[in-house]
Structures are given as structure tokens and as C-alpha cells.
Amino acid sequence: MPDLSASARPVVTRKDVARLAGVSTAVVSYVVNGGPKNVAPATQEKVRQAITALGYRPNVTARALKMGSSRILGMVVPKISSPFFASLAQAVEQAAEQEGYAMLLGDSRDSLTVERRHLSNFADRQVDGVFLCSVVNHRPEVSELDGRGIRTVLLNFSEYPLEVDAIGPEFVGSSRRAVEHLASHGHRDIALVQGFVTGNTLDGREFGWREALKGMGASEGRIFRCSFDRAGGYDAGRRFLALTERPTAVFITSDEQAVGFLRALHEAGLRVPEDVAVMSFDGSEESEFSWPPLSTVRQPVQQMAEAGVRAIIGTGRDEPPRTQVFDCELVLRRSCGCDEP
Amino acid sequence: MPDLSASARPVVTRKDVARLAGVSTAVVSYVVNGGPKNVAPATQEKVRQAITALGYRPNVTARALKMGSSRILGMVVPKISSPFFASLAQAVEQAAEQEGYAMLLGDSRDSLTVERRHLSNFADRQVDGVFLCSVVNHRPEVSELDGRGIRTVLLNFSEYPLEVDAIGPEFVGSSRRAVEHLASHGHRDIALVQGFVTGNTLDGREFGWREALKGMGASEGRIFRCSFDRAGGYDAGRRFLALTERPTAVFITSDEQAVGFLRALHEAGLRVPEDVAVMSFDGSEESEFSWPPLSTVRQPVQQMAEAGVRAIIGTGRDEPPRTQVFDCELVLRRSCGCDEP
DNA sequence: CGTTTTTGTTGACTCGAGTAGATGCCGCTG
DNA sequence: CAGCGGCATCTACTCGAGTCAACAAAAACG
């Protein structure tokens, strides 16, 4: 039987290192941090050796207490199993890690109550900043964080408020271009599948779609409103199919919804893009492997995440909040009629 | 112009509360924690009022330092944008939150180096436990955590080591049942699409598939090895299509791979399940909305997560590690031949 | 050689909360 | 009324690391 009595956990502290190296604890700190004061090279060497000999690792919690900074960022998403938020979380985590920050993840499960709980929880934990993908489109939530001096960045908002940092895609223009592309395949009757948006403002995607229709002098298009997930898209698809005179193309506000919509179409035996052309929004990996592969508007997730991290850790407490809008790329695959085999 | 000079951050501490309530700081602690000593009801009331009046929130970092526990759990996944790991992360986060814990997420991006970095980072941050979905199938990584007294739970391992807590699905039996189900539709030639597994042991899914074939007295089946993602499945699909004599059914080791495999089949104009029947593993949401909807083996993600949290926070440091294996449910949809419209 | 400057090191205080041990107060009992 | 027990409260130390003021020793300067 192997000796597993490891539990004798000999927590090594700065003091132990100091003792072994024959110096004071202050010097140890100076060495570890390249600290505010110089240390003679010979002493540095002694300390370094003591550190490796004992396997000392500084206690991050103590540091956090003293410095008032945990080097932790929080991220709140409505649903991590949504591929778009997952890729966003991935990108944020990566950008944060590069700067030496860790990321707390909070999944709101589409509930405002849970979202609030996460936010207040993160605040209590003294995170240095929060990325918020809210389930709603206003920001009373942010005030609490703001009051506690926690920098917050709104992600994926369809309207850009000025009182707080916000980062998101250029919804209107890229949506317009996407719809215009459908038109370039000869479609005149282009419907919109639009996720529910709270608040009284128009979603940028809807606005872009309207602009495009107006621009091509088309009649007013149909709108199918549904939840922002696969089931919502499926449901919208069923309603679409029930129509007697169906639009020939659809612009859908997320890849996830598009996948659900496609399933409804397939069930009914309709072909994409021959019977109905489809264009969606987000550009998640899922869009590439659906059938047919989805033409979509790809958000520059990586860049947005990096900008967000910079906004949080590289910004003074007194600088005014900024809104940063990112251009998207039209990814043309089969579902719109391009790229035929 | 509104006065946004909020930055005067009046961090309220226990001391302020004590002063306002006219008591000592100890009493404040006792009230906040239902602390180890009693406090007279009248005094409690005074303290409570002072707390709300000042908007006091205890500093979690300080508490963590004193108590040696951060009330944070870490979770490391190979890729959060994989729908299965996303749902796992969601479940873990929810279970953790219910117990008052927050969850740090680390995405390894399929790299062992990054995984190690996360693990050591989490250890430095004094997390109370770690959920590890490793990119490899052995566990040298765990020793460091173990040495620092951090309880670790291995998730989604295809082999169950005894030296450390492990939680996972019952791979062998459920895979066998899945393959037997394909056989019950009349298939005799059933291939396997198997994700790459490091280590010298057989993946439980592969073992179950072999068992099923043996049980039905079938000839040895074909294996297509590929990476554990959509692209891998697509690639396997292309190789499958290149065969002159194709198996009539396929068992695929994850939903993600299955989605890629389906795309390859569609491209070639093959029908599922008529030309090729498909059965996959995991039971993520994605499987429900692919075309055709995937028959799959659903892992009880919620239960596994809850068991994991219990294993971490409800287990003494000296109790021996346990392996917990969970039964899976066969979800029959269209891709295997069931549920025809 | 005496004085200033520089450099290296240290002791001691700080962050904010948990809690053991000491202290004081009340009422009850003998 | 002394003595005791029980309760409420406070004082003071602790967790581990950051850093400043103070000091000592060495270097630079006149």
C-alpha cells in the first residue's frame, strides 16, 4: 500500500524563505516582484535558491488583499452552451490569461435574477472587471458595479449606451450588406427571423434588414420573432412553413437560430438554397458544419475580446467609458446560394 | 452634464459598521456570520441597520486569507466551444453556485501546456477544488494539485484511475447498447468513428462497440480515427465515403464529430438513415437540431456535476478518492432509423 | 580625512476579517 | 452580601504579502 499521507501540507510562506535565505521578509518580496527597492545580486541569488529549495509560491489571496486587486475578471453570459457565447468566453479567457488574469464564469441561464446574483457575487469577490452579456438590453445592473469601482464592459449589445464601456459588432451595416447579398442572388422577398430583444430600441440587425429592403425598393418584409436559440429558430421555421406564400430568402439573427430553422425546413423537405436561401449572423463554428453550411456574418470575436480586456485593465478609473464597434466579415457558403458544388 | 465623479470609492469596512453601530468589530463579524458567539437581539438589530445604512459588504478576499479557502472552484476544459464541455461547465457552475462557490474557467485549447498553466495558476489562486477535463488521458498533472492539498475531480475520462477522484459516464455498457440498437435495425456492418485517445488503454466507447459486434457474431468492424471535433468527424466522413464497400451504420464517439460526419454524407448526397444510420455519444443540445436529429447516448451531465461538487466540498482531506460512474440514457431520434415521420 | 550621497537591508505597519481569551455585567443562590 | 455562573462584549492577535521610514554600510566627493 503506497504511503498517501501527503496531507501534511507544509504551506511555505515568505517567512520560511526569508529564514532559509538569512534575510528579512521584505527582501523576499523585493526579489519576487522585482520590488520597489533594489536587492544586491548576491542576495537575490540566495533568495532565489531558497525559493526553489522550498517550492515557495506567493499567496495570491494575501497579495489581492493588500493590493485591492484580485487579478480576476468576471464574465456573465446568458447561456454558455450557446456556441457564440462559448467562443466569446474562450476568447476573453485567452486574452485575460495573456495579461495574467483569470476568469470567473457566470451562466445566467437566461434569467435576470441569476444574472444579478452573479454580478453582485463577482463584486463581492473584488474582481477587477466584468464582461457582461446581459439577458436584457438595458443596464440598471451596471450601476452597482460602477458604484463599487468595478470596470464593466458590455458585450454584444444591440444598442450602445454611452454611460458605460461597450463593445460589439457593427450590427446595422453588416446586416444590411448580408441582406443585400441575398438580394444579389435575385431574391426580392426576404424575411427576417429576429430574436426577442428587450427594451424599446430596435435591434441593429433588424434595422439593417429594413434599410436593405428599403434600399432595393422592396415591399415590407415579414418578421418572425422567436427566442435566441435553436428551439426558437425551429419554431420560427414552423411558422414560416405555414405561410401560403413564402419568402424566398431569410435573414436570421444568429447561427443557433439558423440551425433550428434549417431543421424545420429539412423536415418539410424544402431544399436550401434552392427553395429558401438562408443567411445568418455570428459566424460560430457551428455554422460551418451545418447542412448546408451557413452563409453568415462573422463577428471578430478575438479582437473584441482583446479590446475588452484592454478596456478593463488598461484604463484609468476616471477615464470616460468608450463604445467600440467592430466591423464584421461576410462569410459566404452554400446556404445563400454561393459556393455550389 | 451629470456628475460622474463617482470614483470617490468609499470602501466600507467592518470598522465603519462597528463605529456607526457603536459596537466592536468582533460583534459585527458575529452578526454577519451568525458567528461563533451570540449577540443580543437588540445589538444585532443595530448592527444590521448600520450594515444596510452603509451598504457594507464583507471583503471576501480578507475572509479567504484568514480562512484559507477562497470558495472558488476551478474548471479546466480542452475547448469550451465544444457543446458537450459547455454544457458540462454550465452544470458545474450551477452546482457550485448553489453551494456558494464561484467557478474559474480555463480553456486549454487542446494544449497540454496551456492545461498545465491553468492548473498551476488555479493552485496559486488557492481554489478549493478543480474539475479537470484533461486533453490527455493520464494524470501526472494532478500530482501538483494534490501536493498542495487541492481536491481534484477528473471528468470525462475514458479510463478510471484509482488514485484520484473521477466521475464519468458508463462508457462501455452504454456504447454496447447503442451499437446493439443499430443492430436491431438490421445493420450487421457497423463502423466506428473514434476520437483520438492518448494513453495505452482502450477507450470505453471503442470497447463497448467491440463487445457489441462480438455479441452479434459480426465480423470485425472498421474504425475511423480522427480528432474529437466537427472537423475530425467531417474528415472521417470523407474517408468513409471513399470506401468501395461501405458499412451501413456508424457509431460515433461524440455529437460534435457526428455533425461533421453528417455534413460529409450530405455533401455526397447520401441519405441518413436510409443509406447510412448514425448513432453518436454525449447528448448535447446540438444533437437535437442537426439534420436528421441524432440518436445519441445522453450523459447525465447535471448529476455528474452535482456529484463532482459534492466530492470536492463535502469530502474530508483524508478520505480516499472515489470513482463514480453514471448510467446513460439512449435517446432515439431519426438518425438511427427510429422516429420516422 | 570628513562629509555627503548612494545602496542594501530591516523592522514595523497595513490591507479586512475571524476568533480566542479577557473583561465586565447581570442575576441567582447559599 | 459574597460568590458563582452565564451571557454579552471587547481587545488583540492572526492569516501572508506589500512597502515606507529608518538605519547601516559602502561609495563618491570635496
Side-chain angles (χ1 to χ4, degrees):
Chain A
M1 198 202 297
D3 179 37
L4 289 181
S5 63
S7 34
R9 186 157 45 120
V11 240
V12 181
T13 83
R14 190 179 59 162
K15 216 163 167 179
D16 303 313
V17 177
R19 184 167 21 239
L20 179 61
V23 298
S24 78
T25 58
V27 175
V28 179
S29 275
Y30 296 151
V31 172
V32 170
N33 307 331
K37 303 239 172 129
N38 281 20
V39 175
T43 320
Q44 281 197 33
E45 196 40 40
K46 274 194 298 180
V47 173
R48 289 248 164 64
Q49 286 186 1
I51 287 181
T52 40
L54 296 174
Y56 165 73
R57 322 233 46 185
N59 182 323
V60 184
T61 310
R63 191 204 299 261
L65 173 60
K66 191 80 232 278
M67 308 303 274
S69 149
S70 53
R71 295 188 79 82
I72 290 183
L73 264 30
M75 174 156 194
V76 179
V77 298
K79 199 151 147 286
I80 189 63
S81 51
S82 148
F84 175 68
F85 290 123
S87 67
L88 207 49
Q90 212 238 42
V92 167
E93 192 268 328
Q94 180 168 1
E97 201 223 326
Q98 249 155 31
E99 303 290 338
Y101 284 70
M103 185 185 85
L104 280 175
L105 181 71
D107 185 313
S108 319
R109 280 163 272 139
D110 281 323
S111 147
L112 186 55
T113 317
V114 179
E115 175 179 309
R116 287 221 179 94
R117 217 158 58 212
H118 283 311
L119 253 21
S120 127
N121 200 274
F122 286 177
D124 287 349
R125 297 191 125 92
Q126 314 224 110
V127 299
D128 294 341
V130 170
F131 288 87
L132 174 57
C133 306
S134 182
V135 304
V136 298
N137 210 12
H138 18 82
R139 56 281 175 201
E141 331 322 316
V142 178
S143 55
E144 191 195 356
L145 294 172
D146 219 44
R148 300 221 233 157
I150 295 176
R151 195 101 198 177
T152 305
V153 172
L154 263 27
L155 283 178
N156 201 50
F157 256 47
S158 56
E159 122 194 57
Y160 296 112
L162 293 173
E163 321 92 66
V164 52
D165 278 287
I167 285 182
E170 206 285 90
F171 281 116
V172 181
S174 23
S175 298
R176 183 169 34 68
R177 271 162 46 220
V179 175
E180 284 168 358
H181 178 83
L182 285 172
S184 80
H185 280 289
H187 298 285
R188 313 247 64 214
D189 190 2
I190 304 175
L192 172 72
V193 172
Q194 166 73 56
F196 292 129
V197 173
T198 58
N200 44 11
T201 28
L202 208 56
D203 184 279
R205 286 159 286 203
E206 180 167 345
F207 197 75
W209 169 76
R210 283 184 198 280
E211 271 194 351
L213 293 195
K214 198 179 298 171
M216 55 196 259
S219 61
E220 208 160 274
R222 279 177 195 280
I223 303 185
F224 299 85
R225 298 196 188 273
C226 61
S227 64
F228 257 116
D229 55 14
R230 299 181 183 87
Y234 179 70
D235 182 58
R238 306 277 298 195
R239 282 181 279 145
F240 176 87
L241 290 165
L243 251 43
T244 45
E245 255 172 59
R246 295 197 202 102
T248 60
V250 194
F251 176 53
I252 306 182
T253 50
S254 79
D255 291 340
E256 247 190 305
Q257 294 169 302
V259 166
F261 195 89
L262 283 182
R263 175 176 161 189
L265 258 32
H266 283 131
E267 265 179 18
L270 290 192
R271 292 161 309 155
V272 177
E274 294 83 352
D275 299 323
V276 183
V278 173
M279 169 78 75
S280 70
F281 203 98
D282 280 350
S284 58
E285 200 190 335
E286 193 171 14
S287 66
E288 188 176 345
F289 288 94
S290 63
W291 185 254
L294 281 166
S295 297
T296 185
V297 177
R298 183 189 291 146
Q299 299 194 41
V301 170
Q302 200 93 1
Q303 287 169 53
M304 284 163 46
E306 281 163 16
V309 170
R310 246 173 302 151
I312 286 179
I313 72 182
T315 314
R317 202 148 295 300
D318 302 322
E319 287 179 48
R322 281 200 307 149
T323 292
Q324 296 180 68
V325 173
F326 288 79
D327 282 330
C328 302
E329 180 196 358
L330 211 54
V331 179
L332 300 177
R333 302 208 184 91
R334 235 193 121 160
S335 71
C336 67
C338 286
D339 191 24
E340 303 282 337
Chain B
M1 199 202 296
D3 179 36
L4 288 180
S5 62
S7 34
R9 187 156 44 120
V11 239
V12 182
T13 83
R14 192 177 58 160
K15 217 164 168 177
D16 302 312
V17 177
R19 184 167 20 239
L20 179 60
V23 298
S24 79
T25 59
V27 174
V28 178
S29 275
Y30 297 150
V31 172
V32 170
N33 306 330
K37 303 233 174 139
N38 281 21
V39 175
T43 320
Q44 281 198 32
E45 196 42 39
K46 273 194 298 181
V47 173
R48 290 246 165 64
Q49 286 187 0
I51 288 181
T52 39
L54 297 174
Y56 166 73
R57 320 236 45 186
N59 181 322
V60 184
T61 310
R63 191 205 301 263
L65 173 59
K66 190 79 230 277
M67 310 303 275
S69 150
S70 54
R71 293 189 81 80
I72 291 184
L73 265 31
M75 174 156 195
V76 179
V77 298
K79 197 150 146 290
I80 189 62
S81 52
S82 147
F84 176 68
F85 290 124
S87 67
L88 207 49
Q90 212 239 42
V92 167
E93 192 267 331
Q94 180 168 1
E97 201 223 326
Q98 250 155 31
E99 303 290 337
Y101 284 70
M103 186 185 84
L104 280 176
L105 181 71
D107 185 312
S108 319
R109 282 163 270 140
D110 281 324
S111 149
L112 187 54
T113 317
V114 180
E115 176 179 309
R116 287 221 178 93
R117 218 159 57 212
H118 283 312
L119 253 22
S120 127
N121 200 274
F122 286 176
D124 286 349
R125 297 191 123 91
Q126 314 224 109
V127 299
D128 294 342
V130 170
F131 287 87
L132 174 57
C133 305
S134 183
V135 304
V136 298
N137 210 13
H138 17 81
R139 55 280 172 202
E141 331 323 314
V142 179
S143 55
E144 191 196 355
L145 293 173
D146 221 42
R148 300 221 233 155
I150 295 177
R151 195 101 199 179
T152 305
V153 172
L154 263 28
L155 282 177
N156 201 49
F157 256 47
S158 57
E159 124 194 54
Y160 296 111
L162 293 173
E163 321 91 67
V164 53
D165 280 286
I167 285 183
E170 206 283 271
F171 280 116
V172 182
S174 22
S175 298
R176 185 170 32 70
R177 271 161 47 218
V179 175
E180 283 168 357
H181 179 83
L182 285 172
S184 79
H185 279 290
H187 298 286
R188 313 246 64 213
D189 189 2
I190 304 176
L192 172 71
V193 172
Q194 168 72 56
F196 292 128
V197 174
T198 59
N200 44 11
T201 28
L202 208 55
D203 184 280
R205 286 159 287 203
E206 179 166 345
F207 197 75
W209 169 76
R210 283 185 197 281
E211 272 195 351
L213 292 195
K214 196 179 301 171
M216 55 197 258
S219 61
E220 208 160 273
R222 278 176 196 280
I223 303 185
F224 300 85
R225 299 197 188 273
C226 61
S227 64
F228 257 116
D229 55 13
R230 299 181 183 87
Y234 179 71
D235 182 58
R238 306 276 299 196
R239 281 181 278 145
F240 175 87
L241 290 165
L243 252 44
T244 45
E245 255 172 59
R246 295 197 203 103
T248 59
V250 192
F251 176 53
I252 306 182
T253 49
S254 78
D255 292 340
E256 247 189 306
Q257 293 169 303
V259 166
F261 195 88
L262 284 182
R263 174 174 161 190
L265 259 31
H266 283 132
E267 265 179 21
L270 290 192
R271 290 161 310 154
V272 178
E274 293 83 351
D275 299 324
V276 183
V278 172
M279 170 78 75
S280 70
F281 203 99
D282 280 350
S284 59
E285 200 191 335
E286 193 170 16
S287 66
E288 188 177 345
F289 288 94
S290 64
W291 184 254
L294 282 165
S295 297
T296 185
V297 177
R298 182 190 292 144
Q299 300 194 41
V301 171
Q302 200 92 1
Q303 287 169 52
M304 285 164 46
E306 281 163 13
V309 170
R310 247 172 304 154
I312 286 179
I313 70 181
T315 314
R317 201 146 296 299
D318 302 323
E319 286 179 48
R322 283 199 307 151
T323 292
Q324 296 179 67
V325 172
F326 288 79
D327 283 331
C328 301
E329 179 196 359
L330 212 55
V331 180
L332 300 177
R333 301 208 185 91
R334 234 192 121 158
S335 72
C336 68
C338 286
D339 190 26
E340 302 283 336

